[in-house]
Amino acid sequence: MTEKIAIFYLTVFIVLVTLRYMRPNIITFVAFSWFGPFPEEGETLSSFKARRIRYAFSWFVQFLAYFALLAILGIYFNSYFSDAFFLVASFAGTIGAGMAALACIGFSISWLKTIVVGPNPKCEYLAEHEI
């Protein structure tokens, strides 16, 4: 079993490295969209953190829609799916929704700290020769 797990993670690593070096396209966008927002030039730290809150909240809403879809499947198509399917699907969804909720709460606390206590600098990108 250990060999299968190692092969799986090696395959995932190779696929992600390959996607990283590809030109931007829809596949790379979908593969790396979970990274979240990046700061923009001249944007304050508090507005960047507010965008991170909205991003985490959007994931939470997506998990709520996922649970709504599971409920509809359970009500109308219960005879087609086994209980094990709903058990695994609800367990995975609960973990995802919990992570999204915790991220939203953590980003909100961080944003509040930046607004109240500071500092609130603007984002500045360094040129390649300044690094």
Side-chain angles (χ1 to χ4, degrees):
M1 187 66 174
T2 306
E3 295 86 13
K4 290 179 183 179
I5 294 172
I7 290 170
F8 171 76
Y9 279 111
L10 183 65
T11 305
V12 168
F13 177 75
I14 289 170
V15 167
L16 287 177
V17 167
T18 304
L19 286 175
R20 184 169 186 257
Y21 289 112
M22 289 176 63
R23 285 193 326 255
N25 57 33
I26 189 68
I27 296 170
T28 58
F29 176 76
V30 170
F32 298 113
S33 66
W34 57 274
F35 283 151
F38 291 100
E40 297 172 356
E41 180 75 30
E43 181 181 30
T44 62
L45 184 60
S46 62
S47 63
F48 170 64
K49 288 183 177 183
R51 286 194 306 126
R52 287 172 65 184
I53 293 169
R54 287 192 301 270
Y55 176 75
F57 186 71
S58 74
W59 271 101
F60 184 72
V61 170
Q62 289 177 38
F63 279 107
L64 290 180
Y66 169 77
F67 281 120
L69 178 67
L70 274 182
I72 291 171
L73 286 175
I75 291 170
Y76 293 110
F77 302 105
N78 194 18
S79 60
Y80 295 110
F81 296 106
S82 67
D83 289 339
F85 168 77
F86 288 110
L87 181 66
V88 171
S90 61
F91 177 73
T94 303
I95 290 174
M99 289 173 53
L102 287 175
C104 190
I105 291 168
F107 291 152
S108 298
I109 292 169
S110 177
W111 171 79
L112 191 61
K113 181 259 177 201
T114 303
I115 293 293
V116 174
V117 179
N120 193 12
K122 290 189 175 191
C123 175
E124 298 176 8
Y125 289 115
L126 299 175
E128 196 169 313
H129 66 278
E130 295 180 33
I131 298 177

